[in-house]
Amino acid sequence: MNLAIFGGSFNPPHVGHEMIIEHCYNSFDRLLIIPNRTSPEKKNDIYISELHKVKMLNMIIGNKDIDIDTFEIKSKQDNYTYYTLKYLMENYKFSNLYMIIGEDQLLNLSNWYKVDFILDNVKIVCFKRASFNYKNKIFNNIKYIPFDYPFSSSGIRRMIKENILINDGTINQDVYKYIIHNNLYKGP
């Protein structure tokens, strides 16, 4: 069985995340989404409750057979991929494990905690922008998927904070309504 894991802050989940989820849902035997509480690299991001993250992810998943695993949300330690991978190896049966990342994460991959263990135990699929051209021998075993989505969660949070109207090409309108209704991302 080919199990794909797609982790991240999803703060908030946007159409780019939906596109990646759709691709992976159709390409792997099983897809597991693992939202984190706080990424070690993004400790200054605006905090929202884990409940909000899971509800918004469920909105973009819809009725697809995709699981959201809350291991990282419930964890009391920093959300390093190493610990998540150890958890997955103990709790999920699979033949091949694929980690789904964006190019922003790929640029920082060599700095990840226990990166050698990660690279030895997962196959990496990177959704990359057309302009991306990074050469490093550590990344030879990575499959690249062309992906040109121009928005980021941080940009969307800024737009919400500044009361800029967001269209459905940027964020799922049910998620957007949920954000507005719950007054998320309006803080400092």
Side-chain angles (χ1 to χ4, degrees), residues 4-167:
I5 57 166
F6 183 28
S9 299
F10 304 105
N11 193 20
H14 52 66
V15 170
H17 294 131
E18 286 185 73
M19 294 164 62
I20 291 170
I21 288 168
E22 185 68 26
H23 178 88
C24 293
Y25 179 73
N26 292 318
S27 300
F28 297 95
D29 299 320
R30 185 169 178 197
L31 174 59
L32 190 63
I33 298 176
I34 306 176
N36 62 33
R37 185 172 25 84
T38 304
S39 170
E41 290 84 32
K42 298 180 181 179
K43 289 187 177 185
N44 294 327
D45 278 359
I46 294 173
Y47 173 81
I48 65 164
S49 85
E50 293 80 15
L51 177 67
H52 289 310
K53 282 187 187 183
V54 171
K55 282 186 178 182
M56 289 187 289
L57 282 168
N58 275 314
M59 287 177 194
I60 67 171
I61 290 170
N63 60 2
K64 291 180 177 71
D65 186 20
I66 298 172
D67 292 322
I68 297 173
D69 189 300
T70 57
F71 168 76
E72 288 190 2
I73 283 177
K74 293 177 180 176
S75 174
K76 300 297 183 213
Q77 61 191 357
D78 282 338
N79 294 139
Y80 290 110
T81 300
Y82 167 78
Y83 296 119
T84 303
L85 183 55
K86 298 279 279 187
Y87 160 80
L88 292 169
M89 293 169 77
E90 292 173 12
N91 291 282
Y92 288 90
K93 301 299 178 209
F94 51 85
S95 301
N96 298 301
L97 182 62
Y98 294 82
M99 184 171 63
I100 311 305
I101 63 174
E103 72 174 297
D104 57 331
Q105 293 300 313
L106 182 65
L107 291 171
N108 194 36
L109 188 62
S110 60
N111 297 321
W112 284 17
Y113 180 68
K114 299 202 179 203
V115 68
D116 291 335
F117 179 85
I118 295 167
L119 292 171
D120 287 344
N121 287 284
V122 300
K123 295 174 175 82
I124 296 178
V125 177
C126 176
F127 283 77
K128 69 172 204 71
R129 302 197 192 290
S131 61
F132 183 72
N133 189 13
Y134 187 76
K135 302 284 186 207
N136 186 318
K137 62 183 177 184
I138 193 173
F139 303 134
N140 286 340
N141 64 343
I142 295 177
K143 178 179 180 179
Y144 296 98
I145 307 290
F147 184 72
D148 258 335
Y149 183 74
F151 299 99
S152 66
S153 292
S154 60
I156 292 169
R157 288 193 308 270
R158 181 190 51 75
M159 292 169 73
I160 292 167
K161 184 176 180 180
E162 295 174 6
N163 293 314
I164 297 171
L165 187 61
I166 301 174
N167 67 35

